[in-house]
Amino acid sequence: MLAPLLALLALPATLAGYACPDTTKAMVNLKGPGSGSGTVYFTQHEGSDQVKISGLISGLTPGKHGFHVHVFGDIFTDGCASTGGHYNPFNRTHGAPTDRIRHVGDLGNIEADAKGDAHIDFTDCVISLCGRRTILGRGVVVHAGADDLGRGGFEDSKTTGHAGNRTACGIIAAIDPTK
Ligand SMILES: *[C@@H]1O[C@H](CO)[C@@H](O)[C@H](O)[C@H]1NC(C)=O
Ligand SMILES: *[C@@H]1O[C@H](CO)[C@@H](O)[C@H](O)[C@H]1NC(C)=O
Ligand SMILES: [Cu+2]
Ligand SMILES: [Zn+2]
């Protein structure tokens, strides 16, 4: 009786999804200091742990760019630098979105095409738009380089994915969920 319960409690808290009682939507407008700007939407339907992430970021250098939720939405004090580190409420190491051990904010990479456009359309069930893992009011950062997903072997691979400078960022704002 007790053993399965204890096993369940020992699971990393990031494993199970977090459903919201109401449909919740948010958006982020991303802007420089570096190249890349655009808008990304987050949608989580009533009772679901899936967050749909969609949008377009243009003006990027072609290729992969680290894409994370950072802990603070503060782009006022010092631009993207004041958004803090990756949103990591469970004190884990950096990883890929599909890893069992990851930061809540680890959304991996977006990829810009030859024109510099990154079309974003994926889902994640570790971030949430409500409750203990909410990303509302926090920051999104797009990096100049690729996120190595913790596997690059650099000094900062296990904290930031060695993704380099913060090229664009914005604040995740709640929007009208009926629209
Ligand atoms: C987070 O984990 C590291 C080791 O991975 C540990 O040194 C540190 O004390 C932990 N911080 C908190 C707040 O638990
Ligand atoms: C990061 O940004 C700083 C300041 O803008 C710049 O001096 C540096 O060359 C950049 N690093 C890379 C790897 O682009
Ligand atoms: Cu980041
Ligand atoms: Zn991370």
Side-chain angles (χ1 to χ4, degrees):
M1 275 303 272
L2 201 55
L5 183 65
L6 289 176
L8 193 67
L9 290 173
L11 286 175
T14 46
L15 240 190
Y18 195 96
C20 290
D22 302 301
T23 294
T24 310
K25 294 186 183 178
M27 69 181 281
V28 57
N29 266 321
L30 296 146
K31 288 192 179 69
S35 60
S37 63
T39 304
V40 177
Y41 293 90
F42 297 86
T43 303
Q44 187 169 12
H45 289 291
E46 176 185 346
S48 170
D49 62 1
Q50 302 281 316
V51 179
K52 181 177 159 61
I53 301 140
S54 61
L56 171 64
I57 304 175
S58 304
L60 291 164
T61 56
K64 288 183 177 175
H65 296 270
F67 183 73
H68 316 124
V69 176
H70 284 226
V71 65
F72 302 123
D74 179 12
I75 61 171
F76 308 109
T77 303
D78 195 17
C80 300
S82 43
T83 60
H86 297 185
Y87 178 43
N88 182 24
F90 304 112
N91 194 30
R92 309 243 180 251
T93 55
H94 179 75
T98 50
D99 286 345
R100 213 163 56 86
I101 304 295
R102 57 171 259 194
H103 299 143
V104 169
D106 288 347
L107 297 180
N109 286 292
I110 57 171
E111 187 156 10
D113 61 20
K115 289 192 316 191
D117 291 342
H119 296 272
I120 298 169
D121 188 12
F122 65 100
T123 60
D124 186 82
C125 64
V126 174
I127 59 167
S128 182
L129 299 183
C130 65
R132 288 205 310 142
R133 294 180 212 168
T134 187
I135 62 167
L136 294 182
R138 304 190 187 283
V140 169
V141 174
V142 180
H143 291 266
D147 182 335
D148 70 14
L149 311 175
R151 293 147 171 81
F154 295 98
E155 198 185 340
D156 59 354
S157 290
K158 292 286 185 191
T159 52
T160 68
H162 193 64
N165 281 346
R166 300 175 178 195
T167 189
C169 63
I171 310 163
I172 303 163
I175 61 173
D176 185 345
T178 64
K179 299 217 165 114

